[in-house]
Amino acid sequence: QVQLKESGPGLVQPSQTLSLTCTVSGFSLTSYNVHWVRQPPGKGLEWMGRMRYNGDISYNSALKSRLFISRDTSKNQLFLKLNSLQTDDTGTYYCSRDLGVNWFAYWGQGTLVTVSS
Amino acid sequence: DIQMTQSPASLSASLEEIVTITCQASQDIGNWLSWYQQRPGKSPQLLIFGATSLADGVPSRFSGSRSGTQYSLKISRLQVEDIGIYYCLQANSAPYTFGAGTKLELK
């Protein structure tokens, strides 16, 4: 059974760095692409970036200077680091596995991140 | 970046009514278009991929179509469980971009 679960700090101060983990089960990170998507409260979805099965990474150009995605395949974990946080980085962060091409078929429950002092 | 213009922003419809939501791509994306439903407080769920293919477990009252760079999601007979927000997503080229969403409510 394919599962993804995001975890993170919940509350982060402005200007600090956000670190999130996506722990997956039921598939291998070396077989499928996994994406990060975020959603500000009451607003729409924004694609942040993708780790391909072969380790290639793509970033949303709007975030590229602040965003870093990595993984540990031995632990079945994908990581997100977003630095220089601002209040408009507040939102729910999802990781999502696609079907081998870019159809986001499986989603984690999301983790809410609030940027506030 | 490719822009996805989704309409309407909100929609109120009655049970059993036909509902149509559209997304207009700013350039050719072929069939690299998918649709998602997001129920309140839940994660998005894949409905349609490849513009017209129904995802596993999705009721057959959902369908997708394409005319050039315009894409449509149709719900043939609206049910209570269809209430939520619907998004299109273009996956032709990064950065992948979502439409702004359509909030579907019961009349």
Side-chain angles (χ1 to χ4, degrees):
Chain A
Q1 182 183 4
V2 173
Q3 291 186 323
L4 304 94
K5 186 173 183 179
E6 307 87 350
S7 57
L11 178 65
V12 186
Q13 292 190 339
S15 79
Q16 298 301 302
T17 296
L18 171 66
S19 295
L20 297 178
T21 300
C22 173
T23 303
V24 309
S25 59
F27 70 97
S28 171
L29 291 174
T30 59
S31 297
Y32 290 93
N33 308 325
V34 179
H35 306 252
W36 286 100
V37 176
R38 70 177 181 175
Q39 184 171 38
K43 296 189 177 181
L45 301 164
E46 179 185 30
W47 179 82
M48 301 181 71
R50 173 196 66 193
M51 171 71 76
R52 290 192 72 196
Y53 66 95
N54 62 0
D56 287 347
I57 304 170
S58 297
Y59 295 109
N60 187 327
S61 53
L63 300 168
K64 191 173 184 178
S65 63
R66 301 195 291 135
L67 180 61
F68 182 68
I69 296 173
S70 61
R71 69 181 182 181
D72 185 333
T73 57
S74 67
K75 295 182 178 179
N76 295 319
Q77 291 181 325
L78 185 73
F79 307 106
L80 175 149
K81 288 190 186 297
L82 185 65
N83 58 35
S84 302
L85 285 182
Q86 304 169 8
T87 54
D88 60 4
D89 292 312
T90 292
T92 298
Y93 287 71
Y94 298 98
C95 54
S96 175
R97 197 209 89 176
D98 66 26
L99 288 178
V101 290
N102 298 322
W103 316 128
F104 297 7
Y106 302 93
W107 294 71
Q109 62 190 20
T111 186
L112 176 62
V113 174
T114 300
V115 181
S116 175
S117 55
Chain B
D1 298 357
I2 297 174
Q3 307 302 315
M4 301 301 297
T5 303
Q6 186 171 342
S7 61
S10 62
L11 179 56
S12 180
S14 302
L15 290 176
E16 303 291 323
E17 189 174 335
I18 297 173
V19 170
T20 302
I21 299 167
T22 64
C23 272
Q24 178 71 48
S26 60
Q27 63 188 71
D28 181 21
I29 60 170
N31 286 329
W32 290 101
L33 190 285
S34 51
W35 290 96
Y36 300 82
Q37 176 195 55
Q38 187 175 32
R39 296 188 174 112
K42 299 296 185 182
S43 304
Q45 176 191 354
L46 177 66
L47 298 174
I48 300 288
F49 63 94
T52 61
S53 298
L54 197 65
D56 287 347
V58 176
S60 59
R61 63 180 179 273
F62 290 91
S63 63
S65 63
R66 171 193 173 190
S67 176
T69 57
Q70 181 165 296
Y71 301 81
S72 298
L73 172 71
K74 178 182 173 182
I75 308 173
S76 60
R77 292 166 54 188
L78 186 67
Q79 303 296 305
V80 172
E81 58 267 31
D82 300 336
I83 299 312
I85 302 176
Y86 290 79
Y87 297 94
C88 63
L89 169 68
Q90 74 79 17
N92 178 71
S93 61
Y96 308 131
T97 43
F98 289 89
T102 295
K103 186 174 184 179
L104 178 57
E105 299 175 319
L106 269 180
K107 189 181 292 182

